């Protein structure tokens, strides 16, 4: 089916069909309804390549994700639940108005980052870009997007909140609440496994842990904090380290669920019973958190909701649909999910 078929079915001109399909302003509701009904009845879908011609809307939103961590997850055979939820949240919004989503890996450490990103933007001509950490805080990435006039939304930014749309959750508060939960259960010697230092989320979650411990008047010994990298393997390495240098701890809070699940497996290998000998908590509420044995106490990170909020701000038809009443900075609520991996310490 072509635009000519839609025009004939609707009984309107090709130009009128084009104006409706390209979401141009000043189109009457009667004309829009007539064209959309004709397109739907014919099963018509617009050609992405045709829309990419000069002067046409690409109807494409790009998501830039960190190459290093994404590749590491896939090499491990565990994939990336974060990326899957992010895609789902953005796609559910985009599909409402026949927009497309493209995911691109970006190496934020590459010396050719500026050149590569400019080439990518010139190639795919997205109408907007969703930036995930750590690209959401990369000044060079934002400079290129500003220079090309490409709107962008930043997931979980750490600073410069006046640049682009900023979509976040209060990670520091969430980490504080999880640590407070462990303290309220009776734990005072709590280990912590960080994420990669390049990620603002890692620093915010560590700060939340420190806030709760300080508020409760509890000391944090240096060897209770072990650096991880958000992967399952880093969790197994971390618990081995903690078991050697900090056998006194009764709980471990890991910066994400993959790491926490690694801690859980490592604890079993060491002969530790969870939660009798060691309580374990994570952050994300990934699918594995609910299926582990025992199931994992964690923070539910609203990744899909944040991606949806980003898409709403970048896709013009959605902005119009929501009357363009969309704040430039939004904080999406999180939840603490208490499960069987945490309990009161013995003794």
């Amino acid at each position: 089916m072509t635009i000519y078929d839609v025009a004939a079915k609707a009984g309107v001109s090709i130009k009128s069909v084009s104006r409706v399909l390209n979401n141009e302003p000043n189109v009457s509701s009667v004309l829009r309804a007539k064209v959309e009904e004709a397109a739907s009845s014919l099963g018509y879908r617009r050609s992405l390549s045709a829309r990419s011609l000069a002067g046409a809307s690409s109807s494409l939103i790009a998501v830039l994700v960190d190459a290093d961590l994404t590749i590491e997850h896939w090499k491990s055979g565990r994939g990336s639940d974060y990326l899957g939820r992010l895609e789902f949240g953005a796609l559910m919004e985009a599909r409402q108005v026949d927009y497309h989503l493209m995911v691109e890996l970006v190496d934020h450490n590459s010396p050719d980052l500026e050149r590569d990103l400019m080439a990518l933007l010139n190639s795919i001509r997205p109408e907007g870009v969703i930036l995930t950490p750590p690209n959401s805080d990369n000044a060079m990435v934002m400079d290129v997007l500003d220079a090309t006039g490409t709107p962008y939304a930043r997931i979980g930014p750490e600073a410069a909140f006046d640049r682009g749309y900023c979509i976040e959750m209060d990670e520091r508060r969430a980490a504080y609440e999880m640590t407070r939960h462990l303290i309220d259960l009776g734990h005072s010697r709590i280990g912590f496994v960080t994420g990669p230092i390049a990620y603002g989320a890692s620093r915010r979650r560590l700060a939340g842990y420190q806030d709760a411990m300080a508020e409760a008047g509890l000391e944090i010994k240096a060897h209770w904090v072990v650096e991880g990298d958000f992967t399952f393997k880093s969790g197994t390495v971390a618990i081995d380290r903690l078991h050697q240098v900090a056998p006194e701890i009764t709980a471990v809070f890991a910066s994400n669920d993959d790491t926490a699940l690694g801690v859980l497996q490592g604890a079993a290998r060491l002969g530790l019973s969870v939660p009798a000998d060691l309580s374990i908590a994570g952050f994300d509420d990934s699918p594995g958190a609910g299926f582990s044995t025992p199931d994992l106490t964690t923070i539910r990170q609203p990744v899909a909701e944040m991606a949806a909020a980003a898409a709403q701000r970048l896709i013009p038809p959605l902005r119009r649909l929501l009357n363009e009443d969309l704040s430039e900075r939004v904080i999406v609520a999180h939840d603490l999910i208490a499960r069987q991996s945490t309990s009161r310490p013995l003794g």
Side-chain angles (χ1 to χ4, degrees), residues 216-230:
L218 298 174
E219 178 187 6
I220 300 175
K221 297 186 182 297
H223 56 280
W224 291 358
V225 179
V226 178
E227 185 175 350
D229 61 8
F230 285 160

Side-chain angles (χ1 to χ4, degrees), residues 82-228:
Y82 177 90
L83 180 56
R85 288 189 288 162
L86 187 86
E87 290 178 350
F88 175 79
L91 277 170
M92 289 301 289
E93 295 298 316
R95 68 180 299 183
Q96 297 183 61
V97 287
D98 200 20
Y99 267 60
H100 298 265
L101 196 71
M102 177 178 289
V103 178
E104 288 289 336
L105 300 180
V106 174
D107 180 1
H108 66 276
N109 291 316
S110 170
D112 300 319
L113 174 60
E114 184 175 9
R115 183 200 66 189
D116 293 344
L117 182 55
M118 187 69 75
L120 173 66
L121 295 175
N122 288 333
S123 173
I124 66 175
R125 297 179 59 247
E127 292 194 38
V129 171
I130 298 176
L131 299 177
T132 65
N135 292 305
S136 52
D137 279 305
N138 190 312
M140 181 182 291
V141 171
M142 290 186 280
D143 288 344
V144 171
L145 292 170
D146 287 335
T148 58
T150 307
Y152 54 93
R154 302 159 61 201
I155 303 294
E158 187 175 21
F161 296 110
D162 59 332
R163 303 192 69 175
Y165 296 105
C166 298
I167 318 296
E168 57 191 311
M169 63 169 285
D170 193 340
E171 291 175 287
R172 183 168 183 164
R173 177 68 190 182
Y176 163 88
E177 291 174 2
M178 180 57 77
T179 308
R180 185 75 246 182
H181 173 70
L182 294 170
I183 293 170
D184 289 343
L185 285 173
H187 297 278
S188 58
R189 301 184 298 276
I190 303 170
F192 187 81
V193 187
T194 74
I197 197 64
Y199 282 66
S202 301
R203 297 188 289 272
R204 290 191 291 271
R205 295 173 194 183
L206 174 60
Y209 158 75
Q210 294 168 331
D211 290 344
M213 294 291 279
E215 181 185 82
L218 298 174
E219 178 187 6
I220 300 175
K221 297 186 182 297
H223 56 280
W224 291 358
V225 179
V226 178
E227 185 175 350

